[in-house]
Amino acid sequence: MLAGIALPAAGALGLAAKGTVEGFDEIPSNLKTPPLSQRTKILDSEGGLIATVYSRDRTVVPIDKISPYMQKAIVAIEDGRFYEHGAIDLKGVLRAINRNAQSGGVAQGASTLTQQYVKNVFVEEAGDDPEKVAQATQQTIGRKVRELKFAIQVEEELGKKKILENYLNITFFGQQAYGIEAASQRYFSKHAADLTLGEAAMMAGLVQSPSRYDPINDIQEATKRRNVVLQRMADVKDISQAEADKAKATPLKLKVKTPKNGCITAVDGAGFFCDYVRKTILNDPVFGKTAEERQKLWNLGGLTIKTTLDPRAQAAANEAAVAKINKDDPVAASVVQVQPKTGKILSMGQSRPYGLDQKQHQTTLNLAVGSKMGGTTYGFQVGSTFKPITAAAALEKGLSPAQTFDTPWKINIPEGDFTRCDGKPAGYANWEIGNELKTEEGSFDMTSALGKSINTYFAKLEQMAGLCETITMAKNVGYDRELGKKPKELPSITLGAQESTPLDMAAVYATFANRGMYCTPVAIESVRAANGDKLNVPQTKCSRAMSERTADTINQMLKGVVEDGTGTKAGLSDRDNAGKTGTTNDRKDAWFVGYTPNLSTAVWVGDDVGEKKSMYDITIGGVTYDKVCGGCLPGPIWKIAMTGALNASETPGFATIAVPRGEKPKDPKEGDEGPNKPNKPGKPGDGKPGDTKPPTNPFPGITLPDGVIGGNNGHGRGNR
């Protein structure tokens, strides 16, 4: 009978008693400290707040952090005899039965504060699952019996004070606010401990119907309800009548604080990084064996996540991303920075703002990463930024930087000259390779070929180093980690015909800066649960990708790129720095990836919407480019990001190493490429140092394979 209080006869409303004692084992047995969904704080590496995210806006506080007025108000209006009865209020039951019998329906309930608390726990457990919520709130005798069973246990084990504390932390107060602390902040911009009598009465009045008594939408109705609570407090002698009357006469003064939820609120354009952190928790097994476990952890919240984001670097990356490209331009920029020795991701910036409003040119697509982490499905071709990987493979095989090739403007190499890792030929057709300009012919060693980004040289270098060795080096430096696929064993990989991501490319070049040690990128330093427990987090995994000598040699050669090669517009004048430009076929992607010993930065520019556009005769950031190139747009963006991120007092240098050179090229002939053409090496000669394999099958009029160019851009001198 007690289980059915406040309900008419079972037959009248079709409420069955079946299941009255069934399903007890399915209900959580521990209601002492139910897991409450709370806010999660995402912090930068210095402890600054990046963003707050939650599925329930709640901050759990102890009873001594809740205003005494609030404690008295909620008891007075919801369960005036709370401290006098046990889990069940027998007087309330009799009163409810009498009223309901007279009305023939449910006119009055008799649930105690403890019973309401138990019901709220079941609702909280149901989360956002409509079916589970319906089960937790269904009007059946079975549910009432279960509530009573656990209410009795809770009364015995917790006591009144703890029940009241838990109730005030779990209850919904409207306006997306769960628990008294979040509600206090929402309506009055203050802590629950500081609520006045009138404010507490208004808050207590919300519980019965948060929408009906919402003070933001209907201040008059909220005021009436507040006054009812105040009078009830006076009636039960919690306050005097004079105090109640004075509070009634005081107008409600709200100080509404709009809740900020999600990565869209992240500071300094860090929304993409914030979302990357979210994806890390949802995808990495360290946070749970199954996707369901990880999702539950994220939804439960209450986490304090300290990330690797450096506030100075993030501000610089964000500034750089928007400095040369407007949010409504036809192309976008991605800027990402990685710390070489630790793998820590220090920043992620984009020219388009993070968000869902396409009319404001917002996007949630993270251009720095692969689709699993909220980014691109296919990635972007990297152009000539791949060439240092081929150079590293060649050096590891024992080839000298002085290795010289005499090459015409265009060459042809049989695919059968390249061997895959399974020992089979890479193909049976002829691979046709060309430099962009007719002036790009003659004698080049590895340093000059990197500086001028000579395609034909690197095709021949890959032939000598080995296709399998080049592919293996790409894997060792994490070239396609984000995309989760193996590189295709095709010779054109040396010219950047295959895709990667800005984050992976920043990590690739960080390997050179770290003297050959590759470290997987990480975004999280530590995570603490709501109870203070420290959770395990993903750790960077460092492995040797190449010898120190190879990395040191690459560093010295790539210094030439920014000093007098294709990346002169990007070079930093106050410290050792190195890098490489990259431009793909039809100029659909443009790159600059570069580094100092303590910071690696990748910049990509290209079309991020629909079918990729060629960047010819295009206006970007108010500037018209006849041809976008790695050195003329990504390069200056890179310089802004690096300059802002680096501390001027810290200027470590690369390890000094002598890099042997081949025969110095002769002065160029004048070509017909216009005023922006690069210097052209002299005529091919015989007997060049280290020239162990001459070029094969030169043909005039050969075209470039689809997807790549490594050559000159025509907008600036020798940019690629």
Side-chain angles (χ1 to χ4, degrees):
M1 182 194 73
L2 293 178
I5 57 172
L7 293 175
L13 293 180
L15 301 174
K18 182 180 179 182
T20 297
V21 295
E22 295 176 2
F24 275 14
D25 292 339
E26 299 173 7
I27 303 300
S29 60
N30 183 9
L31 298 182
K32 294 180 182 179
T33 53
L36 299 180
S37 178
Q38 299 185 63
R39 291 183 174 191
T40 284
K41 295 186 293 184
I42 301 178
L43 310 177
D44 62 33
S45 60
E46 296 180 358
L49 183 65
I50 297 173
T52 301
V53 296
Y54 51 82
S55 57
R56 296 278 194 276
D57 184 10
R58 178 190 282 117
T59 301
V60 175
V61 291
I63 194 72
D64 59 3
K65 297 294 184 182
I66 300 174
S67 165
Y69 287 129
M70 187 66 222
Q71 298 177 43
K72 293 177 181 179
I74 198 69
V75 170
I77 197 64
E78 289 297 317
D79 187 359
R81 301 182 64 255
F82 175 64
Y83 292 105
E84 300 171 24
H85 60 67
I88 305 165
D89 182 4
L90 294 180
K91 288 184 179 180
V93 169
L94 295 175
R95 183 178 64 249
I97 291 175
N98 182 52
R99 288 290 300 275
N100 292 340
Q102 292 176 2
S103 66
V106 184
Q108 183 173 341
S111 292
T112 63
L113 206 70
T114 305
Q115 287 173 270
Q116 292 181 44
Y117 164 65
V118 171
K119 178 181 176 180
N120 280 336
V121 172
F122 294 157
V123 173
E124 182 75 18
E125 285 283 329
D128 296 323
D129 187 322
E131 184 176 342
K132 291 183 179 179
V133 172
Q135 291 174 357
T137 58
Q138 61 184 338
Q139 288 286 81
T140 65
I141 294 175
R143 183 183 65 79
K144 279 289 185 178
V145 170
R146 287 192 291 273
E147 282 184 13
L148 285 170
K149 172 183 182 286
F150 287 106
I152 293 169
Q153 290 181 344
V154 166
E155 284 273 355
E156 291 177 349
E157 298 181 22
L158 293 188
K160 297 292 187 180
K161 185 176 181 180
K162 187 63 177 178
I163 291 171
L164 181 59
E165 175 185 301
N166 288 1
Y167 178 88
L168 286 169
N169 277 305
I170 200 172
T171 299
F172 179 55
F173 287 89
Q175 289 289 332
Q176 304 176 40
Y178 290 79
I180 188 60
E181 177 67 18
S184 299
Q185 294 290 347
R186 179 72 174 106
Y187 296 111
F188 299 110
S189 298
K190 61 170 60 176
H191 294 295
D194 302 323
L195 289 172
T196 65
L197 172 59
E199 292 167 348
M202 188 213 82
M203 301 281 276
L206 284 171
V207 173
Q208 186 182 88
S209 179
S211 57
R212 178 180 176 183
Y213 302 123
D214 183 351
I216 295 176
N217 294 321
D218 194 336
I219 192 72
Q220 292 183 346
E221 194 70 18
T223 301
K224 290 178 183 178
R225 179 62 177 167
R226 177 203 65 175
N227 293 346
V228 169
V229 176
L230 288 168
Q231 187 57 52
R232 179 62 180 163
M233 293 177 73
D235 292 343
V236 298
K237 309 302 182 185
D238 282 334
I239 59 174
S240 68
Q241 188 62 51
E243 288 177 302
D245 293 340
K246 181 179 179 181
K248 290 178 186 178
T250 304
L252 275 176
K253 294 181 180 179
L254 301 178
K255 189 176 180 182
V256 178
K257 179 184 292 184
T258 303
K260 293 183 177 180
N261 179 27
C263 293
I264 198 170
T265 65
V267 299
D268 285 330
F272 299 99
F273 178 84
C274 171
D275 192 62
Y276 184 85
V277 170
R278 180 180 71 89
K279 289 287 190 180
T280 299
I281 291 180
L282 293 178
N283 285 288
D284 199 303
V286 74
F287 294 109
K289 294 181 179 179
T290 66
E292 289 75 17
E293 288 180 15
R294 298 189 291 270
Q295 186 69 59
K296 186 176 181 180
L297 174 67
W298 181 256
N299 290 343
L300 183 61
L303 306 175
T304 301
I305 305 171
K306 186 178 181 182
T307 71
T308 60
L309 191 82
D310 179 85
R312 174 171 175 161
Q314 178 59 35
N318 188 52
E319 176 190 359
V322 301
K324 302 286 184 180
I325 301 180
N326 299 328
K327 66 179 183 179
D328 57 349
D329 279 340
V331 297
S334 173
V335 181
V336 61
Q337 298 180 305
V338 171
Q339 192 174 64
K341 293 183 179 180
T342 65
K344 293 179 180 179
I345 303 171
L346 303 184
S347 71
M348 281 183 181
Q350 283 187 201
S351 57
R352 300 201 202 281
Y354 184 87
L356 299 171
D357 190 346
Q358 294 184 359
K359 293 181 179 179
Q360 295 298 318
H361 307 284
Q362 296 176 353
T363 182
T364 57
L365 182 69
N366 188 344
L367 300 172
V369 300
S371 59
K372 184 178 180 181
M373 302 301 290
T376 66
T377 301
Y378 304 107
F380 310 109
Q381 292 181 334
V382 301
S384 293
T385 59
F386 188 92
K387 289 173 180 173
I389 299 176
T390 305
L395 294 175
E396 286 291 285
K397 195 169 185 177
L399 297 177
S400 169
Q403 174 66 52
T404 306
F405 294 123
D406 276 341
T407 66
W409 171 35
K410 295 184 179 182
I411 62 174
N412 182 297
I413 304 177
E415 290 179 341
D417 285 3
F418 298 88
T419 304
R420 300 185 326 201
C421 292
D422 61 5
K424 297 179 180 180
Y428 300 96
N430 285 326
W431 181 33
E432 302 172 340
I433 313 103
N435 300 322
E436 186 180 13
L437 300 178
K438 292 180 179 179
T439 55
E440 293 175 333
E441 62 179 9
S443 178
F444 301 93
D445 64 7
M446 201 178 296
T447 300
S448 61
L450 276 171
K452 299 182 184 301
S453 205
I454 304 300
N455 289 336
T456 51
Y457 179 94
F458 277 91
K460 297 181 69 60
L461 185 66
E462 182 188 39
Q463 185 181 18
M464 292 189 68
L467 174 60
C468 180
E469 287 81 353
T470 302
I471 295 291
T472 300
M473 180 59 69
K475 292 177 181 178
N476 290 346
V477 295
Y479 175 70
D480 55 1
R481 177 178 178 270
E482 277 289 316
L483 297 178
K485 61 182 182 180
K486 297 180 179 179
K488 297 177 183 177
E489 296 185 48
L490 299 173
S492 59
I493 192 172
T494 191
L495 304 183
Q498 296 186 38
E499 296 82 6
S500 185
T501 65
L503 176 57
D504 277 343
M505 292 307 293
V508 167
Y509 278 57
T511 306
F512 300 135
N514 195 25
R515 303 192 71 193
M517 289 292 291
Y518 168 72
C519 297
T520 56
V522 290
I524 299 174
E525 289 190 3
S526 67
V527 176
R528 288 194 178 274
N531 62 2
D533 288 350
K534 193 172 183 179
L535 306 184
N536 292 328
V537 299
Q539 300 292 326
T540 187
K541 298 176 182 178
C542 297
S543 56
R544 180 152 296 284
M546 65 192 76
S547 68
E548 288 187 355
R549 182 175 183 83
T550 291
D552 293 342
T553 302
I554 295 290
N555 294 339
Q556 294 301 319
M557 291 192 291
L558 290 185
K559 281 178 66 177
V561 175
V562 296
E563 291 173 352
D564 56 12
T566 61
T568 53
K569 291 183 179 180
L572 307 175
S573 60
D574 62 337
R575 66 189 67 228
D576 273 2
N577 63 112
K580 185 73 186 75
T581 56
T583 313
T584 64
N585 199 26
D586 294 328
R587 304 190 181 273
K588 292 181 178 180
D589 302 278
W591 294 77
F592 191 90
V593 190
Y595 55 97
T596 63
N598 54 349
L599 182 63
S600 177
T601 300
V603 177
W604 168 88
V605 173
D607 187 356
D608 61 329
V609 180
E611 187 174 349
K612 294 179 69 66
K613 297 181 178 66
S614 296
M615 292 183 285
Y616 289 100
D617 298 321
I618 188 172
T619 299
I620 304 173
V623 176
T624 300
Y625 296 81
D626 56 349
K627 298 177 182 179
V628 170
C629 59
C632 62
L633 184 54
I637 292 173
W638 180 88
K639 187 172 185 177
I640 294 171
M642 292 290 285
T643 301
L646 290 168
N647 187 333
S649 64
E650 299 176 359
T651 56
F654 295 125
T656 303
I657 187 171
V659 179
R661 297 297 304 270
E663 182 177 312
K664 184 177 180 181
K666 300 177 181 178
D667 291 336
K669 295 180 179 179
E670 286 299 325
D672 57 358
E673 300 304 318
N676 293 323
K677 59 185 176 296
N679 290 333
K680 167 187 163 188
K683 294 180 180 179
D686 297 323
K688 297 293 187 285
D691 190 0
T692 59
K693 191 167 185 176
T696 59
N697 301 326
F699 291 100
I702 295 171
T703 58
L704 198 65
D706 185 46
V708 261
I709 61 171
N712 194 338
N713 66 70
H715 190 79
R717 181 177 296 273
N719 292 319
R720 299 170 178 83

